[in-house]
């Protein structure tokens, strides 16, 4: 059993779990990310209702961060960075707008991606904890 720098079994990191985590993030987060732009006025109203400062700007910022995460996690390029960026966004959403299953799944999936990476399908590994680029 080979251990990587974060002390996780590489068999786990190279198996199906990273693919499942990535799939959950992409499937669940894509709709809300696009919704920040398509339903902008509605989202600004919700952010205002939640008491988020500068809601007109924050809707765009959160939407861009979510799209960034979807792109990075889907492609495996900077996936850990994208997942890490989404952790505070999801925690804030759960505290401010109330926790739900979708937010919890995205949060847990992003934490998992940060810890174990993207498995065999990553493109870049800046921390050097992966085995080798498989593409």
């Amino acid at each position: 059993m080979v251990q990587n720098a974060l002390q996780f079994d590489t068999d786990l990191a190279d198996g199906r779990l990273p693919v499942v985590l990535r799939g959950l993030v992409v499937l669940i987060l894509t709709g809300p990310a696009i919704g920040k732009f398509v339903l902008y006025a509605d989202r600004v109203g919700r952010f205002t209702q939640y008491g988020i400062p500068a809601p007109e700007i924050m809707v765009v910022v959160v939407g861009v961060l979510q799209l960034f995460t979807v792109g990075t996690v889907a492609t495996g390029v900077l996936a850990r960075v994208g997942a890490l960026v989404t952790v505070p966004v999801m925690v804030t959403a759960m505290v401010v707008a109330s926790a739900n299953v979708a937010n919890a799944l995205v949060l847990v999936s992003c934490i998992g991606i940060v810890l174990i990476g993207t498995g065999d399908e990553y493109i870049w590994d800046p921390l050097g904890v992966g085995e080798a680029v498989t593409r």
Side-chain angles (χ1 to χ4, degrees):
M1 175 170 72
V2 178
Q3 297 274 322
N4 65 27
L6 294 176
Q7 299 301 310
F8 285 96
D9 184 349
T10 56
D11 292 337
L12 175 68
D14 291 337
R16 292 186 181 107
L17 181 60
V19 175
V20 170
L21 296 177
R22 290 169 69 187
L24 285 171
V25 170
V26 171
L27 288 173
I28 296 171
L29 206 55
T30 301
I34 293 170
K36 300 284 187 302
F37 301 100
V38 174
L39 303 170
Y40 176 76
D42 176 63
R43 298 306 184 251
V44 169
R46 285 187 186 184
F47 276 43
T48 302
Q49 182 181 9
Y50 299 144
I52 296 175
E56 298 86 2
I57 296 169
M58 291 308 295
V59 167
V60 174
V61 169
V62 171
V64 167
L65 290 175
Q66 289 176 333
L67 287 175
F68 172 75
T69 298
V70 168
T72 62
V73 169
T75 62
V77 177
L78 297 173
R80 283 184 162 155
V81 174
L84 185 61
V85 164
T86 299
V87 169
V89 172
M90 290 291 93
V91 170
T92 302
M94 294 173 78
V95 169
V96 173
S98 78
N100 61 42
V101 174
N103 288 348
L105 282 172
V106 171
L107 176 62
V108 169
S109 296
C110 284
I111 291 170
I113 291 167
V114 169
L115 294 176
I116 65 173
T118 58
D120 288 337
E121 298 301 321
Y122 63 86
I123 293 173
W124 185 53
D125 187 16
L127 298 178
V129 297
E131 293 298 316
V133 175
T134 59
R135 293 181 191 247

